[in-house]
Amino acid sequence: MTDRSYEDGKLVIRRHYKADREDVWDAITTPERLVRWFLPISGDLRVGGRYQLEGNAGGEIVRCDRPSEIGLTWEMGGGVTEVIVRLEEEGESTMLTLSHSPVPGELIPNASPTMWGLGAGWEMGLNALEKFLSGLLPEGNAQDWIATASPEDLMAAGVQAQQISDAWKEVLG
């Protein structure tokens, strides 16, 4: 289940994972694991260091409190925003809360079927994280298995991204 909210320019996504907090932390901060479900990352991956996600945003790591919170700047297209990911233990599970701000509301829904908004972009990644943590992803890097996905799988991903976008439109009113 995904909880979505948007208020005062802040996009917030909350997701529950059936994995302990250390495992989720490791999956979102270890380059060798991150590349399996998201994107290759390079740079100086510590507080004050700069990172770059291949073909996407880069920025600075501004906060790191293992295993509960990481904060970073999200620099893309000349803009600078802030992303904070918090992990809270819930028994043997973990609640992940991602906030991204400031974000104009018009950037959250999909602009077209092939141009996902921030809502679908983040959520499709968080869906892949869930599959990764559950052992349901193919071997190899995410970019490789996406590149070799069947037309049916790509169509299903497009439908899912549109459903997420529609859910965000409801949140935005």
Side-chain angles (χ1 to χ4, degrees), residues 1 5-6 9 12-13 34 46 48-49 51 75 79 125 131 148 156 158 167 173:
M1 176 79 181
S5 66
Y6 179 78
V12 178
I13 302 168
L34 187 66
R46 57 186 168 165
Y51 73 93
E75 301 172 18
K131 290 177 182 174
T148 60

Side-chain angles (χ1 to χ4, degrees), residues 1-4 12-25 28 67-70 84-99 126 129-130 133:
M1 176 79 181
T2 300
D3 292 322
R4 302 168 182 93
V12 178
I13 302 168
R14 291 176 49 89
R15 291 269 321 234
H16 182 261
Y17 293 94
K18 293 179 182 175
D20 68 52
R21 185 165 66 162
E22 284 287 343
D23 192 26
V24 177
W25 177 268
I28 68 172
S68 58
E69 181 177 293
I70 188 163
I84 299 171
V85 178
R86 290 189 179 94
L87 302 177
E88 298 171 70
E89 285 182 312
E90 292 188 351
E92 294 180 11
S93 297
T94 302
M95 177 61 73
L96 180 148
T97 303
L98 180 144
S99 65
L126 295 176
L129 173 60
E130 182 174 359
L133 292 168

